[in-house]
Amino acid sequence: MTSAIPARPVSPDLEPDTTPGVGPGGPSDKKATAQYSDRVRAERRLGWILAGPAFIVMLAVTLYPILQAIYESLFQFRLTAPGEREFIGLGNYAVILSDGVWWSALWTTLLITIVTVAVELVLGFALALVMHKALKAVRGPLRTAILVPYGIITVVSAFAWFYAFDINSGYVNSWFAWLPGIDSDLNWFAQGPTALFVIMASEIWKTTPFISLLLLAGLAQVPDELTEAAKVDGATWWEQMRKVIIPNMKAAIMVAVLFRALDAFRIFDNVFIMTNGAYGTEVLSLLAYRQSISRLEIGLGSAVSVLLFLCVLIICFIAIKLFKVDLAGAQGGK
Amino acid sequence: MTSTKSKVLWGIVTVLVAVYALFPVASILATSFKAPSDLTNQKFLPSPGRATTGNYEQILVGDAQGLFLTALRNSIGICLISTFIAVVLATLCAYAIARLDFPGKKLVLTTALAVSIFPVISIVTPLFNLWRSIGLYDTWPGLIIPYLSLTLPISIWTLAAFFRQIPWELEQAAQVDGATTWQAFRKAIVPLAAPGVFTTAIIAFFIAWNDFVYGISLTSTEAARPVPAALAFFTGASQFEAPTGAISAAAIIVTIPVVVLVLAFQRQIVSGLTQGAVKG
């Protein structure tokens, strides 16, 4: 990553000058080691003075709470009965892991993650290809259209999809009544599979633009000469895709998939609005919310939060170790 | 070959993409003009002659005004302040990352990455407990602080990517031409850096504006509840009436600024997202 930084100014003694409070750099014509290391030290100090506040704030808003959650997960503690706080070690974890609710929420979350990411990858890739190849005249309108779902509040998307499918206020049932299984009596939100379908549709609609923009950046890095050469050699469109384009943007695809997978894994808004976790649509984030915020079971809720965090770590670990995703390359190699 | 044929083809593709992107928005827009008694018409549009602006009146000047307008004020205030703090901190941090050599640079970037993929709900439980005991529960700062976990990491990555592309030599060139350090910075660097900072602010604002988990978990009244959370608490004009229309109207109102920003700055947003691309 450091090597990717474009040329820095040749003489570093300009730097301290640009920021007050560090003092002017020494005379730059002397190359004495002592002075050079002074300058290095000054630069390092300035680096941390500038980057430090952001770094500390990031740790304060995440590291501290998660440590607190780990600590609180070891207690049986309900906010409504603060006097009965009791240390129970890993007891909360035993309760959660031996409960079917946790496992069913975990499977639902995994199912949503896998299905949405797979569909988004295909759809996002198609959108990226369209934007990549588009005529100049339509490039702007295309980009604008694709960015709209990205900017829209997830809760708004959830309501839009919910109302369209809702048995009372929706029009989907009457529009698609000709399809087998769909009629005016179909209540999409009264059973798991149909409810999950709408939840995933909303999630996919809202987040595909993001993945397609990442893939677009990856596409732009595939050298044109390679595709041209393949074309000259008589490769079909599909062969060009499979042998030239996709292998050359593998890094971008992996990064996009990992980010979206981690994002999908914490799905909350769509489920909360559409079913509130009923009919087997409970997901992990909602389970944690229900324990801590609704039932005020801080101990149990903290334990669910910690487990959720561990799941994310495991996903990251698998991605980095098994699939060799280079997160540092997430910058598109710039 | 092409020109007419490919123009038509691209026209069709563009229309298809536009339909994909805008259909749910159009759907909720149509719903927002349905009268309560017309909600069950099973059609996309309000029944002919029955379209009404009643839902908008209800949330802007009517019964639900208190609920919606306070939430709107909370959302705008909290998101702007949190975006502002994040962008200021991130500008300093990204400047150091792009331009200075110091140990731990990679640590800062990795931390930003880790924070951006952190499951939000894992932070909520401890904060809920802590905020209640120190009095930050249901206040603006009680949301502004955790919003930094959303806005700060993306700001650092996006800005670091932008700053790395700035030709910093220009500053020196200006100084050679006789400008003072401050003049060189202001005249040569600021105009190049400003679009990046601005784009970052838009992206960070979108993310804060989108938040729902913190919004419903860390507030309990209108004192700080932001719009997405408030939407989930809307009730109908009477208890027998669904709040569908009011929610749709409110949803459209909070979507307008997003669409305006996207229309005005689509090019910058795309480049910001793909260069710093961490998390949308």
Side-chain angles (χ1 to χ4, degrees), chain A residues 152-174 186-191 194-203 205-206 268-279 281, chain B residues 23-25 27-29 31 34 39-40 42-44 231-232 234 241-245 247-248 251:
Chain A
I152 278 182
I153 298 178
T154 313
V155 171
V156 169
S157 165
F159 274 119
W161 287 85
F162 178 75
Y163 290 147
F165 281 84
D166 185 50
I167 189 168
N168 295 315
S169 64
Y171 49 85
V172 168
N173 279 348
S174 69
L186 175 58
N187 187 349
W188 291 82
F189 302 101
Q191 59 262 314
T194 49
L196 281 176
F197 175 81
V198 187
I199 287 169
M200 289 195 243
S202 170
E203 181 84 2
W205 176 76
K206 150 90 187 146
F268 182 87
D269 310 12
N270 277 310
V271 184
F272 185 96
I273 296 297
M274 293 199 210
T275 62
N276 201 5
Y279 308 110
T281 56
Chain B
F23 190 78
V25 183
S27 169
I28 206 156
L29 181 67
T31 310
K34 285 183 184 171
L39 273 173
T40 52
Q42 310 262 312
K43 296 210 175 59
F44 182 80
L231 287 182
F234 262 40
E241 210 164 83
T244 308
I247 289 178
S248 303

Side-chain angles (χ1 to χ4, degrees), chain A residues 1-2 5-11 14-15 17-19 40 43-44 46-48 50-51 53-55 57-59 61-62 64-66 68-69 72 77 79 123 127 129-130 133-135 138 140-156 159-161 163-164 167-171 173-175 184 204-206 208-210 213-214 216-217 259 262-263 266 268-269 272-273 285 288-289 292-293 296 298 301-302 305-306 308-309 312 316 327-328 330-332 334, chain B residues 6-7 10 13-14 17-18 20-25 27-28 31 34 39-40 42-44 89-90 92-93 95-109 111-113 115-130 132 145-146 148-149 152-153 156-157 160-161 164-165 168-169 171-172 175 181 185 203 206-207 209-210 212-213 216-217 228 231-232 243-244 247-248 251 254-255 258-259 262-263 266-267 269-270 273-280:
Chain A
M1 179 149 300
T2 21
I5 301 169
R8 291 174 48 243
V10 188
S11 75
L14 284 175
E15 276 156 0
D17 288 345
T18 56
T19 311
V40 168
E43 187 172 338
R44 289 179 170 190
L46 179 60
W48 272 107
L50 294 177
F55 185 66
V57 169
M58 283 194 292
L59 290 188
V61 292
T62 49
Y64 167 72
I66 196 69
Q68 181 74 19
E72 274 166 4
F77 177 40
L79 266 189
L123 200 57
L127 284 176
L129 278 178
V130 165
K133 300 263 174 186
L135 298 178
V138 295
L142 272 177
R143 250 192 327 217
T144 308
I146 283 180
L147 275 178
V148 166
Y150 166 78
I152 278 182
I153 298 178
T154 313
V155 171
V156 169
F159 274 119
W161 287 85
Y163 290 147
I167 189 168
N168 295 315
S169 64
Y171 49 85
N173 279 348
S174 69
W175 275 21
S184 59
I204 289 168
W205 176 76
K206 150 90 187 146
T208 300
F210 173 68
L213 288 176
L214 284 192
L216 178 64
F259 275 120
L262 292 171
D263 194 37
R266 52 187 175 186
F268 182 87
D269 310 12
F272 185 96
I273 296 297
S285 288
Y289 171 83
S292 344
I293 314 293
L296 302 176
I298 297 299
S302 297
S305 298
V306 172
L308 183 60
F309 176 57
V312 167
C316 274
L327 282 182
Q331 278 206 288
K334 288 208 171 128
Chain B
S6 85
K7 261 185 202 158
W10 276 112
V13 169
T14 310
V17 172
Y20 163 83
L22 302 179
F23 190 78
V25 183
S27 169
I28 206 156
T31 310
K34 285 183 184 171
L39 273 173
T40 52
Q42 310 262 312
K43 296 210 175 59
F44 182 80
L89 289 176
L92 300 177
C93 182
Y95 175 87
I97 286 169
R99 239 192 131 200
L100 305 178
D101 207 7
F102 63 99
K105 192 187 274 194
K106 209 168 171 177
L107 177 69
V108 175
L109 280 173
T111 307
L113 201 62
V115 171
S116 75
I117 58 176
F118 207 83
V120 173
I121 200 83
S122 295
I123 316 179
V124 158
T125 312
L127 280 188
F128 174 72
N129 204 4
L130 180 67
R132 288 176 82 96
I145 295 168
L148 288 175
S149 76
L152 192 49
I156 292 175
W157 273 79
R164 277 175 182 162
Q165 291 176 337
W168 295 98
E169 306 85 13
E171 195 179 36
Q172 264 176 290
Q175 277 177 326
T181 311
F185 184 72
I203 294 173
F206 274 7
I207 294 177
W209 190 243
N210 186 48
F212 181 59
V213 176
I216 54 164
S217 306
L231 287 182
T244 308
I247 289 178
S248 303
V254 296
T255 301
V258 168
V259 173
V262 164
L263 281 176
Q266 42 111 345
R267 194 184 304 269
I269 297 172
V270 168
L273 276 177
T274 47
Q275 278 169 10
V278 191
K279 152 82 182 74

Side-chain angles (χ1 to χ4, degrees), chain A residues 59-80:
Chain A
L59 290 188
V61 292
T62 49
L63 187 66
Y64 167 72
I66 196 69
L67 291 177
Q68 181 74 19
I70 293 172
Y71 173 74
E72 274 166 4
S73 72
L74 303 176
F75 290 85
Q76 183 172 47
F77 177 40
R78 225 185 144 162
L79 266 189
T80 45

